[in-house]
Amino acid sequence: MKVIVTHCFIVTFALCASAQDLALYRAREHGALARECLRVVDQDGLPVADAKVWGGLQTGGNLRDFTPISGVTDTNGEYVIQGKCTNRIRCDITKAGYYRSEFLLTNYGYSHEVKAGKWQPHGDKHTIVLKKRVDNGKLAVPDKRKHISWGIPLYDKWLGFDLEKFDWCKPHGIGNHEDVLLYFTRSKKSNSVFRFTMDVSFTNNLFAGAYVMKKDLSSDLKTLSLANTNETFQSEFHYVRERNEDGKRTMIWLNENEYLVFRTRTTVEDGKLNYAHYGCIQGQWSPDLDSMDLEDGCFNPAPNDASIEDGFYLRNTVRDYAEHEKNMGQLKGQNQ
Amino acid sequence: MFTWSGDYNWLGDAFNGLHYQQDVYQALKTGAALKAFMESAQPTSAKRILMSQSLGNMVACEAMRQGLSVGKYFMFNAAVASEAVDGTLQNANAAVKSKYVPSDWSDYDSQSWAANWHKWFNNDATDSRGKMGWPNYFSTALARAGTVYNYYSTGDPIFLESDTVPGVTTGVFHWPTLSLSWPFIDFNITAEEGSWQKQETHKGVEPIAGTLLGGWGFNCWYETVGDEPVQMYYTATQANAMVANGSITNSPVFSYGGTQLNNRNASQDDIWLSLAKYVPAISSPIGGMAALGLEDHNLNGTSYRDGWGRQDNVYNQNWLHSDMKDMAFFYVYPLHNELVQKGMMK
């Protein structure tokens, strides 16, 4: 009797397991109903209504195998993505006056289960931040016509770097303010055995420093719009690029998915911070063979203005476009 | 400018990419010619500046492996396995293994893979099999360059990688997008995507853009069970036992028939052919990563461009494989400025 019961149990269990596997297989091949609830908000957490949501849910491996996503958010900034899906959901969220954001779920069919023809969990909630576009256009940025990496003029000595001019301080460059101090060392035995270091110090300016942030890769504005002035600003950083004889690598730097929000050029009154300038340095920022590589950055020349909304995307989309429009307008005027 | 026959095809220009392994073989064979050319053109090694793009780096590295010395070597979008310049990068972690080792082989000891066959023989300088491996194949080559610069792009579609071993059509088809001009729809077919990962992982197992010998194919034979011939191959347990006692050198687990992989007297030409067609790399390409640790420059960032002249449906504003020449100078002059500066070519 025991044997029969055990066998019945095993067979039932096996059938259930097989049915589950089959359902999952079918869902990955032919799709199951997916539901994802988006709430689109701005930086302040306020809902963004009428934002366009456009994209698709994958339904197979061939062309046209997708369920379109197309609509706008309601007054609460909410939009529900619903439809048949095999593995991937992606859409753009756009609205005039905001930076584009992306909503992306990859490997859906492998990170979800299926019950009654529906992917589980069903109806997950997601908050999408759509960042407002201010484009104050007043921030100082590196001049790529002159620099994309900076040759290191001296080793084993502190060097001043001007974050507004994005250059070494005089006499090594055109900088006037020692906004940050940098100290480089190098030793290279061969192309595969070396040690390069870069010490970063804001200690020459009281209350100056920086904090590290992860870039927001889902938005066209990868950084914050405003520096958080209440954040803890760290005054020193140590970066190293090393590979030893055993092939062990130590690579510590501000990597390409990070950025530093800095505060510098401070003035102090009665022991309290009076004025400061803010900006950001975008990774990768690291020492190299004979140069310092710095991806990008910006400096707000207005004291106590914490706006750091700038950088590549803004410059290359909005500002270039505005320039283009301006030129076209001038041309039109000339032609008339 | 040094060019060579590096785009082998017999199906027409549209299918060049399907013969990548043959192109690697021809690149390796061309190294000696580049060495001779550079040595005659510039006798002073310190004054030689070598710049190579894509598979041209295979030619350049082979030339240096054969003794060419240069003052500066610039690699652009290098289609060379990173393990070839730093052996520690081969199968370096679980993520790399997932990308480059087919699941059929994941339970097999890595010493049984075709990629590591050379390790059983590399203590004997007279055994050609010891030279049929990618790890550190070019490490002496880079030592012959005063300074090496690696200009790579994390947005290069050729070097984009799936998290797991891709199929032939992985990454090829994307959702179509509507456009305002004829034919009003972009089908977004990207046949080039993931080419590097495919050409390495499809060695031995895939007739399209791969090979059917060596690589990740199993050494199979037939045994009669009852009256039926049954295809046999070594199981992981058997292979791992053979690795443990060393007997695997008599019985390769991978498909080696029809190749020179088990010929201790193989010629240099056979070694090149084996590396190109039958020995899979288990690492990302130099052109897609910071492989050197020093002077690695990601072209896909914002440093090397000033604006951008293309908004691609699939790749957005990525720096693609040949954008250093394909994109207008107006957008990519920061790169060229840096090359002038680093190469001291003003």
Side-chain angles (χ1 to χ4, degrees), chain A residues 56 58 144-145 148 188 191 241 243 249 256 288-289 295-296 312 316, chain B residues 86 142 145-147 175 291 293 295 298 301-303 305 307 333-334:
Chain A
Q58 185 183 3
K144 290 190 179 180
R145 284 164 185 81
I148 47 174
K188 182 188 168 195
N191 284 328
R241 190 189 275 267
R243 190 175 185 282
R249 290 165 179 245
E256 61 190 22
D288 216 317
L289 187 66
E295 179 77 33
D296 213 331
F312 172 68
N316 287 291
Chain B
D86 184 347
L142 293 201
T147 308
W175 296 330
E295 290 293 355
N298 189 359
T302 60
S303 297
R305 59 175 88 185
Y333 70 84

PDB file of all heavy atoms in Angstrom, chain A residues 56 58 144-145 148 188 191 241 243 249 256 288-289 295-296 312 316, chain B residues 86 142 145-147 175 291 293 295 298 301-303 305 307 333-334:
ATOM      1  N   GLY A  56       7.215  48.477 -26.957  1.00  0.00           N
ATOM      2  CA  GLY A  56       6.597  47.205 -27.293  1.00  0.00           C
ATOM      3  C   GLY A  56       6.931  46.101 -26.311  1.00  0.00           C
ATOM      4  O   GLY A  56       7.894  46.186 -25.542  1.00  0.00           O
ATOM      5  N   GLN A  58       7.832  42.143 -26.373  1.00  0.00           N
ATOM      6  CA  GLN A  58       8.306  41.134 -27.310  1.00  0.00           C
ATOM      7  C   GLN A  58       7.375  39.923 -27.290  1.00  0.00           C
ATOM      8  O   GLN A  58       6.963  39.461 -26.228  1.00  0.00           O
ATOM      9  CB  GLN A  58       9.728  40.705 -26.923  1.00  0.00           C
ATOM     10  CG  GLN A  58      10.346  39.753 -27.917  1.00  0.00           C
ATOM     11  CD  GLN A  58      11.727  39.292 -27.489  1.00  0.00           C
ATOM     12  OE1 GLN A  58      12.199  39.638 -26.413  1.00  0.00           O
ATOM     13  NE2 GLN A  58      12.350  38.490 -28.331  1.00  0.00           N
ATOM     14  N   LYS A 144      36.506  70.795 -25.724  1.00  0.00           N
ATOM     15  CA  LYS A 144      37.084  69.635 -26.400  1.00  0.00           C
ATOM     16  C   LYS A 144      38.008  70.023 -27.540  1.00  0.00           C
ATOM     17  O   LYS A 144      38.721  69.189 -28.071  1.00  0.00           O
ATOM     18  CB  LYS A 144      35.970  68.746 -26.921  1.00  0.00           C
ATOM     19  CG  LYS A 144      35.258  68.068 -25.796  1.00  0.00           C
ATOM     20  CD  LYS A 144      34.333  67.038 -26.306  1.00  0.00           C
ATOM     21  CE  LYS A 144      33.674  66.384 -25.114  1.00  0.00           C
ATOM     22  NZ  LYS A 144      32.763  65.367 -25.504  1.00  0.00           N
ATOM     23  N   ARG A 145      37.925  71.264 -27.942  1.00  0.00           N
ATOM     24  CA  ARG A 145      38.857  71.680 -28.989  1.00  0.00           C
ATOM     25  C   ARG A 145      40.276  71.734 -28.426  1.00  0.00           C
ATOM     26  O   ARG A 145      41.236  71.732 -29.153  1.00  0.00           O
ATOM     27  CB  ARG A 145      38.427  73.027 -29.561  1.00  0.00           C
ATOM     28  CG  ARG A 145      37.239  72.885 -30.497  1.00  0.00           C
ATOM     29  CD  ARG A 145      36.545  74.182 -30.791  1.00  0.00           C
ATOM     30  NE  ARG A 145      35.348  73.947 -31.602  1.00  0.00           N
ATOM     31  CZ  ARG A 145      34.190  73.550 -31.108  1.00  0.00           C
ATOM     32  NH1 ARG A 145      34.054  73.343 -29.815  1.00  0.00           N
ATOM     33  NH2 ARG A 145      33.149  73.335 -31.879  1.00  0.00           N
ATOM     34  N   ILE A 148      40.870  66.577 -24.252  1.00  0.00           N
ATOM     35  CA  ILE A 148      40.018  65.467 -23.844  1.00  0.00           C
ATOM     36  C   ILE A 148      40.767  64.620 -22.813  1.00  0.00           C
ATOM     37  O   ILE A 148      40.191  63.882 -22.065  1.00  0.00           O
ATOM     38  CB  ILE A 148      39.565  64.592 -25.015  1.00  0.00           C
ATOM     39  CG1 ILE A 148      40.738  64.249 -25.910  1.00  0.00           C
ATOM     40  CG2 ILE A 148      38.457  65.247 -25.784  1.00  0.00           C
ATOM     41  CD1 ILE A 148      40.366  63.268 -26.985  1.00  0.00           C
ATOM     42  N   LYS A 188      56.557  52.219 -14.151  1.00  0.00           N
ATOM     43  CA  LYS A 188      56.202  51.276 -15.209  1.00  0.00           C
ATOM     44  C   LYS A 188      57.424  50.438 -15.561  1.00  0.00           C
ATOM     45  O   LYS A 188      58.446  50.966 -15.986  1.00  0.00           O
ATOM     46  CB  LYS A 188      55.720  52.051 -16.442  1.00  0.00           C
ATOM     47  CG  LYS A 188      55.276  51.158 -17.581  1.00  0.00           C
ATOM     48  CD  LYS A 188      55.004  51.968 -18.845  1.00  0.00           C
ATOM     49  CE  LYS A 188      54.841  51.035 -20.030  1.00  0.00           C
ATOM     50  NZ  LYS A 188      54.924  51.711 -21.310  1.00  0.00           N
ATOM     51  N   ASN A 191      54.816  47.026 -20.339  1.00  0.00           N
ATOM     52  CA  ASN A 191      53.428  47.310 -20.695  1.00  0.00           C
ATOM     53  C   ASN A 191      52.443  46.544 -19.820  1.00  0.00           C
ATOM     54  O   ASN A 191      51.260  46.862 -19.787  1.00  0.00           O
ATOM     55  CB  ASN A 191      53.174  46.972 -22.165  1.00  0.00           C
ATOM     56  CG  ASN A 191      53.759  48.025 -23.082  1.00  0.00           C
ATOM     57  OD1 ASN A 191      53.812  49.199 -22.729  1.00  0.00           O
ATOM     58  ND2 ASN A 191      54.220  47.601 -24.252  1.00  0.00           N
ATOM     59  N   ARG A 241      45.857  52.579 -10.520  1.00  0.00           N
ATOM     60  CA  ARG A 241      45.791  51.715 -11.708  1.00  0.00           C
ATOM     61  C   ARG A 241      47.057  50.867 -11.644  1.00  0.00           C
ATOM     62  O   ARG A 241      48.164  51.360 -11.858  1.00  0.00           O
ATOM     63  CB  ARG A 241      45.797  52.615 -12.935  1.00  0.00           C
ATOM     64  CG  ARG A 241      45.500  51.954 -14.248  1.00  0.00           C
ATOM     65  CD  ARG A 241      45.763  52.955 -15.346  1.00  0.00           C
ATOM     66  NE  ARG A 241      44.668  53.834 -15.625  1.00  0.00           N
ATOM     67  CZ  ARG A 241      43.737  53.607 -16.557  1.00  0.00           C
ATOM     68  NH1 ARG A 241      43.762  52.512 -17.259  1.00  0.00           N
ATOM     69  NH2 ARG A 241      42.799  54.487 -16.792  1.00  0.00           N
ATOM     70  N   ARG A 243      49.005  46.848 -12.128  1.00  0.00           N
ATOM     71  CA  ARG A 243      49.059  45.423 -12.481  1.00  0.00           C
ATOM     72  C   ARG A 243      50.433  44.939 -12.043  1.00  0.00           C
ATOM     73  O   ARG A 243      51.452  45.482 -12.475  1.00  0.00           O
ATOM     74  CB  ARG A 243      48.871  45.215 -13.981  1.00  0.00           C
ATOM     75  CG  ARG A 243      48.680  43.769 -14.374  1.00  0.00           C
ATOM     76  CD  ARG A 243      48.385  43.657 -15.860  1.00  0.00           C
ATOM     77  NE  ARG A 243      48.084  42.297 -16.261  1.00  0.00           N
ATOM     78  CZ  ARG A 243      48.992  41.343 -16.456  1.00  0.00           C
ATOM     79  NH1 ARG A 243      50.266  41.591 -16.286  1.00  0.00           N
ATOM     80  NH2 ARG A 243      48.624  40.134 -16.830  1.00  0.00           N
ATOM     81  N   ARG A 249      45.415  42.668 -10.948  1.00  0.00           N
ATOM     82  CA  ARG A 249      45.069  44.044 -11.303  1.00  0.00           C
ATOM     83  C   ARG A 249      44.366  44.739 -10.153  1.00  0.00           C
ATOM     84  O   ARG A 249      43.497  44.156  -9.506  1.00  0.00           O
ATOM     85  CB  ARG A 249      44.099  44.057 -12.490  1.00  0.00           C
ATOM     86  CG  ARG A 249      44.705  43.630 -13.792  1.00  0.00           C
ATOM     87  CD  ARG A 249      43.604  43.335 -14.785  1.00  0.00           C
ATOM     88  NE  ARG A 249      44.173  42.949 -16.073  1.00  0.00           N
ATOM     89  CZ  ARG A 249      44.028  43.651 -17.189  1.00  0.00           C
ATOM     90  NH1 ARG A 249      43.333  44.752 -17.204  1.00  0.00           N
ATOM     91  NH2 ARG A 249      44.571  43.237 -18.317  1.00  0.00           N
ATOM     92  N   GLU A 256      33.054  54.657 -15.419  1.00  0.00           N
ATOM     93  CA  GLU A 256      32.237  55.354 -16.425  1.00  0.00           C
ATOM     94  C   GLU A 256      30.756  55.405 -16.077  1.00  0.00           C
ATOM     95  O   GLU A 256      30.009  56.139 -16.711  1.00  0.00           O
ATOM     96  CB  GLU A 256      32.438  54.704 -17.798  1.00  0.00           C
ATOM     97  CG  GLU A 256      32.018  53.245 -17.851  1.00  0.00           C
ATOM     98  CD  GLU A 256      32.452  52.591 -19.143  1.00  0.00           C
ATOM     99  OE1 GLU A 256      33.378  53.077 -19.787  1.00  0.00           O
ATOM    100  OE2 GLU A 256      31.839  51.562 -19.489  1.00  0.00           O
ATOM    101  N   ASP A 288      46.603  57.898 -16.130  1.00  0.00           N
ATOM    102  CA  ASP A 288      47.049  56.988 -17.183  1.00  0.00           C
ATOM    103  C   ASP A 288      48.551  57.169 -17.363  1.00  0.00           C
ATOM    104  O   ASP A 288      49.208  57.794 -16.538  1.00  0.00           O
ATOM    105  CB  ASP A 288      46.270  57.252 -18.474  1.00  0.00           C
ATOM    106  CG  ASP A 288      46.007  55.951 -19.213  1.00  0.00           C
ATOM    107  OD1 ASP A 288      46.922  55.133 -19.291  1.00  0.00           O
ATOM    108  OD2 ASP A 288      44.892  55.755 -19.701  1.00  0.00           O
ATOM    109  N   LEU A 289      49.063  56.652 -18.460  1.00  0.00           N
ATOM    110  CA  LEU A 289      50.508  56.619 -18.659  1.00  0.00           C
ATOM    111  C   LEU A 289      51.158  57.986 -18.439  1.00  0.00           C
ATOM    112  O   LEU A 289      52.077  58.120 -17.632  1.00  0.00           O
ATOM    113  CB  LEU A 289      50.789  56.132 -20.084  1.00  0.00           C
ATOM    114  CG  LEU A 289      52.238  55.874 -20.426  1.00  0.00           C
ATOM    115  CD1 LEU A 289      52.786  54.724 -19.620  1.00  0.00           C
ATOM    116  CD2 LEU A 289      52.379  55.584 -21.917  1.00  0.00           C
ATOM    117  N   GLU A 295      36.199  62.157 -18.363  1.00  0.00           N
ATOM    118  CA  GLU A 295      35.166  61.986 -19.383  1.00  0.00           C
ATOM    119  C   GLU A 295      34.457  63.300 -19.726  1.00  0.00           C
ATOM    120  O   GLU A 295      34.332  63.667 -20.885  1.00  0.00           O
ATOM    121  CB  GLU A 295      34.139  60.974 -18.873  1.00  0.00           C
ATOM    122  CG  GLU A 295      32.984  60.703 -19.798  1.00  0.00           C
ATOM    123  CD  GLU A 295      33.364  59.791 -20.949  1.00  0.00           C
ATOM    124  OE1 GLU A 295      34.210  58.926 -20.743  1.00  0.00           O
ATOM    125  OE2 GLU A 295      32.812  59.975 -22.036  1.00  0.00           O
ATOM    126  N   ASP A 296      34.032  63.991 -18.706  1.00  0.00           N
ATOM    127  CA  ASP A 296      33.246  65.197 -18.944  1.00  0.00           C
ATOM    128  C   ASP A 296      33.006  65.858 -17.591  1.00  0.00           C
ATOM    129  O   ASP A 296      33.376  65.318 -16.547  1.00  0.00           O
ATOM    130  CB  ASP A 296      31.905  64.830 -19.588  1.00  0.00           C
ATOM    131  CG  ASP A 296      31.423  65.912 -20.537  1.00  0.00           C
ATOM    132  OD1 ASP A 296      31.776  67.082 -20.295  1.00  0.00           O
ATOM    133  OD2 ASP A 296      30.720  65.596 -21.499  1.00  0.00           O
ATOM    134  N   PHE A 312      27.092  66.136 -21.523  1.00  0.00           N
ATOM    135  CA  PHE A 312      27.065  65.737 -22.923  1.00  0.00           C
ATOM    136  C   PHE A 312      25.684  65.806 -23.578  1.00  0.00           C
ATOM    137  O   PHE A 312      25.501  66.426 -24.602  1.00  0.00           O
ATOM    138  CB  PHE A 312      27.604  64.319 -23.007  1.00  0.00           C
ATOM    139  CG  PHE A 312      27.473  63.702 -24.353  1.00  0.00           C
ATOM    140  CD1 PHE A 312      28.209  64.190 -25.416  1.00  0.00           C
ATOM    141  CD2 PHE A 312      26.629  62.634 -24.550  1.00  0.00           C
ATOM    142  CE1 PHE A 312      28.095  63.611 -26.660  1.00  0.00           C
ATOM    143  CE2 PHE A 312      26.514  62.050 -25.797  1.00  0.00           C
ATOM    144  CZ  PHE A 312      27.242  62.542 -26.852  1.00  0.00           C
ATOM    145  N   ASN A 316      24.673  68.348 -26.557  1.00  0.00           N
ATOM    146  CA  ASN A 316      24.601  67.859 -27.919  1.00  0.00           C
ATOM    147  C   ASN A 316      23.198  67.770 -28.474  1.00  0.00           C
ATOM    148  O   ASN A 316      23.030  67.608 -29.665  1.00  0.00           O
ATOM    149  CB  ASN A 316      25.275  66.500 -28.010  1.00  0.00           C
ATOM    150  CG  ASN A 316      26.758  66.658 -27.916  1.00  0.00           C
ATOM    151  OD1 ASN A 316      27.386  67.179 -28.817  1.00  0.00           O
ATOM    152  ND2 ASN A 316      27.308  66.270 -26.784  1.00  0.00           N
TER     153      ASN A 316
ATOM    154  N   ASP B  86      46.785  39.017 -22.231  1.00  0.00           N
ATOM    155  CA  ASP B  86      46.809  38.803 -20.788  1.00  0.00           C
ATOM    156  C   ASP B  86      46.083  37.493 -20.500  1.00  0.00           C
ATOM    157  O   ASP B  86      44.853  37.439 -20.443  1.00  0.00           O
ATOM    158  CB  ASP B  86      46.114  39.976 -20.070  1.00  0.00           C
ATOM    159  CG  ASP B  86      46.203  39.850 -18.559  1.00  0.00           C
ATOM    160  OD1 ASP B  86      46.567  38.758 -18.065  1.00  0.00           O
ATOM    161  OD2 ASP B  86      45.911  40.845 -17.869  1.00  0.00           O
ATOM    162  N   LEU B 142      53.356  42.538 -27.362  1.00  0.00           N
ATOM    163  CA  LEU B 142      53.151  43.868 -26.806  1.00  0.00           C
ATOM    164  C   LEU B 142      54.384  44.377 -26.072  1.00  0.00           C
ATOM    165  O   LEU B 142      54.596  45.586 -25.947  1.00  0.00           O
ATOM    166  CB  LEU B 142      51.939  43.881 -25.882  1.00  0.00           C
ATOM    167  CG  LEU B 142      50.582  43.660 -26.554  1.00  0.00           C
ATOM    168  CD1 LEU B 142      49.461  44.185 -25.687  1.00  0.00           C
ATOM    169  CD2 LEU B 142      50.483  44.293 -27.927  1.00  0.00           C
ATOM    170  N   ALA B 145      56.523  46.773 -28.013  1.00  0.00           N
ATOM    171  CA  ALA B 145      56.057  48.139 -28.305  1.00  0.00           C
ATOM    172  C   ALA B 145      56.414  49.010 -27.106  1.00  0.00           C
ATOM    173  O   ALA B 145      56.211  48.604 -25.955  1.00  0.00           O
ATOM    174  CB  ALA B 145      54.550  48.145 -28.518  1.00  0.00           C
ATOM    175  N   GLY B 146      56.962  50.194 -27.388  1.00  0.00           N
ATOM    176  CA  GLY B 146      57.313  51.095 -26.287  1.00  0.00           C
ATOM    177  C   GLY B 146      56.076  51.432 -25.465  1.00  0.00           C
ATOM    178  O   GLY B 146      56.052  51.281 -24.253  1.00  0.00           O
ATOM    179  N   THR B 147      55.036  51.875 -26.145  1.00  0.00           N
ATOM    180  CA  THR B 147      53.768  52.183 -25.487  1.00  0.00           C
ATOM    181  C   THR B 147      52.636  51.624 -26.331  1.00  0.00           C
ATOM    182  O   THR B 147      52.666  51.717 -27.560  1.00  0.00           O
ATOM    183  CB  THR B 147      53.577  53.704 -25.367  1.00  0.00           C
ATOM    184  OG1 THR B 147      54.743  54.268 -24.768  1.00  0.00           O
ATOM    185  CG2 THR B 147      52.385  54.027 -24.493  1.00  0.00           C
ATOM    186  N   TRP B 175      12.785  45.110 -33.153  1.00  0.00           N
ATOM    187  CA  TRP B 175      11.468  45.583 -33.549  1.00  0.00           C
ATOM    188  C   TRP B 175      11.609  46.660 -34.608  1.00  0.00           C
ATOM    189  O   TRP B 175      12.452  47.552 -34.487  1.00  0.00           O
ATOM    190  CB  TRP B 175      10.727  46.152 -32.336  1.00  0.00           C
ATOM    191  CG  TRP B 175      10.458  45.110 -31.318  1.00  0.00           C
ATOM    192  CD1 TRP B 175      10.245  43.780 -31.521  1.00  0.00           C
ATOM    193  CD2 TRP B 175      10.403  45.300 -29.913  1.00  0.00           C
ATOM    194  NE1 TRP B 175      10.051  43.138 -30.335  1.00  0.00           N
ATOM    195  CE2 TRP B 175      10.141  44.046 -29.326  1.00  0.00           C
ATOM    196  CE3 TRP B 175      10.524  46.406 -29.085  1.00  0.00           C
ATOM    197  CZ2 TRP B 175      10.007  43.872 -27.962  1.00  0.00           C
ATOM    198  CZ3 TRP B 175      10.390  46.232 -27.721  1.00  0.00           C
ATOM    199  CH2 TRP B 175      10.134  44.979 -27.179  1.00  0.00           C
ATOM    200  N   ALA B 291      41.337  46.243 -21.758  1.00  0.00           N
ATOM    201  CA  ALA B 291      42.080  44.986 -21.617  1.00  0.00           C
ATOM    202  C   ALA B 291      43.484  45.170 -21.079  1.00  0.00           C
ATOM    203  O   ALA B 291      44.046  44.274 -20.464  1.00  0.00           O
ATOM    204  CB  ALA B 291      42.145  44.291 -22.969  1.00  0.00           C
ATOM    205  N   GLY B 293      44.745  47.726 -19.036  1.00  0.00           N
ATOM    206  CA  GLY B 293      44.913  48.288 -17.693  1.00  0.00           C
ATOM    207  C   GLY B 293      45.541  49.667 -17.740  1.00  0.00           C
ATOM    208  O   GLY B 293      45.436  50.448 -16.810  1.00  0.00           O
ATOM    209  N   GLU B 295      46.373  52.996 -20.550  1.00  0.00           N
ATOM    210  CA  GLU B 295      46.089  53.551 -21.879  1.00  0.00           C
ATOM    211  C   GLU B 295      44.941  52.818 -22.570  1.00  0.00           C
ATOM    212  O   GLU B 295      44.998  52.534 -23.770  1.00  0.00           O
ATOM    213  CB  GLU B 295      47.350  53.565 -22.754  1.00  0.00           C
ATOM    214  CG  GLU B 295      48.399  54.571 -22.320  1.00  0.00           C
ATOM    215  CD  GLU B 295      47.987  56.033 -22.488  1.00  0.00           C
ATOM    216  OE1 GLU B 295      46.912  56.285 -23.038  1.00  0.00           O
ATOM    217  OE2 GLU B 295      48.748  56.912 -22.046  1.00  0.00           O
ATOM    218  N   ASN B 298      38.003  54.435 -23.862  1.00  0.00           N
ATOM    219  CA  ASN B 298      36.689  54.046 -24.358  1.00  0.00           C
ATOM    220  C   ASN B 298      36.146  55.108 -25.318  1.00  0.00           C
ATOM    221  O   ASN B 298      35.814  56.222 -24.908  1.00  0.00           O
ATOM    222  CB  ASN B 298      35.734  53.863 -23.178  1.00  0.00           C
ATOM    223  CG  ASN B 298      34.414  53.261 -23.605  1.00  0.00           C
ATOM    224  OD1 ASN B 298      34.196  52.995 -24.794  1.00  0.00           O
ATOM    225  ND2 ASN B 298      33.538  53.033 -22.650  1.00  0.00           N
ATOM    226  N   GLY B 301      32.439  56.813 -24.889  1.00  0.00           N
ATOM    227  CA  GLY B 301      32.075  57.863 -23.939  1.00  0.00           C
ATOM    228  C   GLY B 301      31.897  59.190 -24.668  1.00  0.00           C
ATOM    229  O   GLY B 301      31.672  59.225 -25.877  1.00  0.00           O
ATOM    230  N   THR B 302      32.018  60.242 -23.925  1.00  0.00           N
ATOM    231  CA  THR B 302      31.820  61.555 -24.541  1.00  0.00           C
ATOM    232  C   THR B 302      33.150  62.234 -24.883  1.00  0.00           C
ATOM    233  O   THR B 302      33.169  63.259 -25.542  1.00  0.00           O
ATOM    234  CB  THR B 302      31.027  62.468 -23.602  1.00  0.00           C
ATOM    235  OG1 THR B 302      31.760  62.605 -22.389  1.00  0.00           O
ATOM    236  CG2 THR B 302      29.668  61.888 -23.303  1.00  0.00           C
ATOM    237  N   SER B 303      34.249  61.635 -24.427  1.00  0.00           N
ATOM    238  CA  SER B 303      35.542  62.305 -24.590  1.00  0.00           C
ATOM    239  C   SER B 303      35.943  62.528 -26.028  1.00  0.00           C
ATOM    240  O   SER B 303      36.526  63.555 -26.362  1.00  0.00           O
ATOM    241  CB  SER B 303      36.643  61.481 -23.922  1.00  0.00           C
ATOM    242  OG  SER B 303      36.425  61.381 -22.561  1.00  0.00           O
ATOM    243  N   ARG B 305      34.270  62.724 -28.881  1.00  0.00           N
ATOM    244  CA  ARG B 305      33.325  63.240 -29.874  1.00  0.00           C
ATOM    245  C   ARG B 305      32.904  64.646 -29.485  1.00  0.00           C
ATOM    246  O   ARG B 305      32.972  65.024 -28.311  1.00  0.00           O
ATOM    247  CB  ARG B 305      32.119  62.320 -29.973  1.00  0.00           C
ATOM    248  CG  ARG B 305      31.378  62.157 -28.666  1.00  0.00           C
ATOM    249  CD  ARG B 305      30.126  61.337 -28.820  1.00  0.00           C
ATOM    250  NE  ARG B 305      30.358  59.907 -28.672  1.00  0.00           N
ATOM    251  CZ  ARG B 305      29.422  58.991 -28.865  1.00  0.00           C
ATOM    252  NH1 ARG B 305      28.231  59.349 -29.237  1.00  0.00           N
ATOM    253  NH2 ARG B 305      29.683  57.710 -28.683  1.00  0.00           N
ATOM    254  N   GLY B 307      29.485  66.385 -30.379  1.00  0.00           N
ATOM    255  CA  GLY B 307      28.233  66.160 -31.082  1.00  0.00           C
ATOM    256  C   GLY B 307      28.262  64.796 -31.738  1.00  0.00           C
ATOM    257  O   GLY B 307      29.245  64.045 -31.596  1.00  0.00           O
ATOM    258  N   TYR B 333      36.778  64.771 -34.306  1.00  0.00           N
ATOM    259  CA  TYR B 333      38.110  65.394 -34.285  1.00  0.00           C
ATOM    260  C   TYR B 333      38.803  65.294 -32.914  1.00  0.00           C
ATOM    261  O   TYR B 333      40.028  65.222 -32.867  1.00  0.00           O
ATOM    262  CB  TYR B 333      38.042  66.856 -34.756  1.00  0.00           C
ATOM    263  CG  TYR B 333      37.361  67.787 -33.795  1.00  0.00           C
ATOM    264  CD1 TYR B 333      38.048  68.349 -32.727  1.00  0.00           C
ATOM    265  CD2 TYR B 333      36.013  68.076 -33.923  1.00  0.00           C
ATOM    266  CE1 TYR B 333      37.414  69.170 -31.824  1.00  0.00           C
ATOM    267  CE2 TYR B 333      35.375  68.900 -33.018  1.00  0.00           C
ATOM    268  CZ  TYR B 333      36.072  69.446 -31.963  1.00  0.00           C
ATOM    269  OH  TYR B 333      35.446  70.252 -31.060  1.00  0.00           O
ATOM    270  N   PRO B 334      38.059  65.237 -31.775  1.00  0.00           N
ATOM    271  CA  PRO B 334      38.798  65.103 -30.515  1.00  0.00           C
ATOM    272  C   PRO B 334      39.675  63.848 -30.479  1.00  0.00           C
ATOM    273  O   PRO B 334      40.770  63.864 -29.924  1.00  0.00           O
ATOM    274  CB  PRO B 334      37.694  65.041 -29.461  1.00  0.00           C
ATOM    275  CG  PRO B 334      36.549  65.772 -30.068  1.00  0.00           C
ATOM    276  CD  PRO B 334      36.605  65.418 -31.526  1.00  0.00           C
TER     277      PRO B 334
END
